[in-house]
Amino acid sequence: MSIRFDDKVAIVTGAGGGLGREYALELARRGAKVVVNDLGGDRTGTGASDAAHKVVEEIKAAGGEAMANGASVTEYEQMVEMVAKAKEAWGGVHVLINNAGVLRDKSFTKMDPADFAFVVQVHLLGSANATKAVWDTMREQNYGRILMTASSTGLYGNFGQTNYGAAKLGLAGFTKSLYLEGAKNNIKVNTLAPVAGTRMTEDLFPEQLFQAFSPDKVVPAALYLVSEDAPTNQIVGAGAGVFQAAYVTLTPGVALQGDDLSPEGIAKHWAEITDRNGEIVPDSGAGQSQMIGKKLQGG
C-alpha cells in the first residue's frame, strides 16, 4: 500500500529550501495540506526572503494546497498563531516536522556565548515551541506525528560544532521522553539524523558528494516516520539513499563493593564496565534502574 497523507495537515518548519522544501513538496504530492514555515534567513539566521512563498507556489502549481508562514520558531506565541491559522483553514494539524535550523560554527575556544545560545534556541527550544503549539490539538484529535531533526554531530560529535551538537542531542532526548507522554493519544515521535547537500553543508561537501547527498534522498525516511503506520521513539540516519538506525544503549555493568567501591575500583574494572556483551536499549529511563537492580540481585 502506498503511504498517503490525504485529509492530513502538516507543518514543516524551515521549509523554504533544502530538506524542508523537499519534505513539504512530497507531503503535498501525497495529499497533505502543508504549512510552509520559513523566516527566509541565511544559514546563520540573519536576513529574510520570500522562500516560503516560492515553495507554496510550487505546491499550488502542482495542484496541491499550502500556505506560507513566516513565524519564528524562537517565538512561542508566533508558533501558537501559526497553528491557529492552520486549524482555521483546514481544521487540525496532524504532522509536524521540526526542521528549522541555523549554523554558527567555531571552535569552542573562539565561540561567543551568544552564538552558542542562539543555535540551541533555534534548534532545541524552537522545536519545543512548535511542538508545544501543536500538542494539545494532537491530543484532542487522538492523532499526531512529530519528527525532530537531530544530526550525526549530536549523536557522535564534530569539531567546531559544540553548540549544534548540544542542541541536536537534546532533540533526541526530547523525543525519548515525549513519545512516552504522547503514546496514549496516538502521538508518535521520532528523530531523524539526515546527511544532505544543502546550503547548510555546501562548503563541507566536494561537488560530487554534494550531488550524491541531494536532499530528496532523505525524504523517504522523513515521510515514513510521520506516516500513519510509523514506529515511535526511533533515531534514524539518512543520506544518499542509505538508511540507518541509531541506538542509545546500556551495558549490564558491574556491581562493586568493599575496596573496589572507589575510583581505583572503577579503573580496575573499566573493561568489564564497558563490555558491550549483553547491552540493552531501554524503552525509558527506568531501564537503567532496572538493570542496576538486576545486577544487585546477581543477574
Side-chain angles (χ1 to χ4, degrees), residues 32-297:
K33 300 173 179 67
V34 184
V35 178
V36 180
N37 165 262
D38 203 297
L39 273 173
D42 63 21
R43 70 179 185 178
T44 68
T46 57
S49 73
D50 60 351
H53 291 278
K54 290 180 179 178
V55 177
V56 169
E57 289 171 7
E58 285 187 74
I59 290 172
K60 289 183 175 180
E65 290 188 61
M67 69 169 69
N69 180 275
S72 171
V73 297
T74 63
E75 301 295 332
Y76 174 63
E77 293 304 324
Q78 292 184 25
M79 292 292 96
V80 171
E81 184 179 354
M82 174 182 69
V83 171
K85 288 179 179 178
K87 291 176 67 176
E88 181 181 0
W90 297 318
V93 177
H94 307 90
V95 172
L96 170 64
I97 298 181
N98 286 303
N99 175 72
V102 295
L103 287 178
R104 293 190 177 181
D105 294 353
K106 281 185 179 178
S107 65
F108 190 63
T109 192
K110 296 178 180 178
M111 185 176 294
D112 190 300
D115 286 337
F116 194 104
F118 183 68
V119 168
V120 172
Q121 183 181 31
V122 172
H123 288 275
L124 181 55
L125 300 185
S127 295
N129 286 338
T131 300
K132 180 65 174 176
V134 303
W135 191 251
D136 284 346
T137 294
M138 289 183 172
R139 292 182 73 234
E140 291 163 7
Q141 293 168 169
N142 211 43
Y143 186 96
R145 301 292 182 266
I146 299 172
L147 187 63
M148 308 296 176
T149 304
S151 165
S152 58
T153 295
L155 299 175
Y156 309 112
N158 194 30
F159 187 93
Q161 291 193 312
T162 52
N163 49 5
Y164 186 71
K168 290 304 194 183
L169 189 56
L171 285 165
F174 184 26
T175 293
K176 287 191 167 296
S177 287
L178 195 64
Y179 98 94
L180 292 166
E181 297 190 21
K184 69 179 180 180
N185 293 112
N186 189 28
I187 301 172
K188 297 182 178 181
V189 190
N190 291 293
T191 302
L192 182 65
V195 182
T198 68
R199 66 177 181 165
M200 297 276 279
T201 59
E202 61 188 348
D203 55 355
L204 304 176
F205 281 106
E207 178 60 26
Q208 188 174 357
L209 279 179
F210 189 83
Q211 297 302 324
F213 282 86
S214 58
D216 59 290
K217 294 175 182 175
V218 171
V219 172
L223 265 66
Y224 172 64
L225 292 173
V226 296
S227 67
E228 187 165 351
D229 294 326
T232 192
N233 188 32
Q234 299 298 306
I235 303 173
V236 175
V242 175
F243 304 95
Q244 304 151 310
Y247 299 97
V248 179
T249 67
L250 185 70
T251 69
V254 176
L256 302 180
Q257 55 187 337
D259 290 343
D260 277 349
L261 189 57
S262 63
E264 292 78 11
I266 296 291
K268 177 181 174 182
H269 293 277
W270 187 246
E272 298 165 74
I273 292 168
T274 58
D275 184 355
R276 298 185 63 180
N277 185 43
E279 70 181 2
I280 65 167
V281 180
D283 291 328
S284 72
Q288 182 177 5
S289 298
Q290 291 165 0
M291 185 74 96
I292 289 172
K294 182 179 178 180
K295 183 60 62 174
L296 291 175
Q297 292 169 11

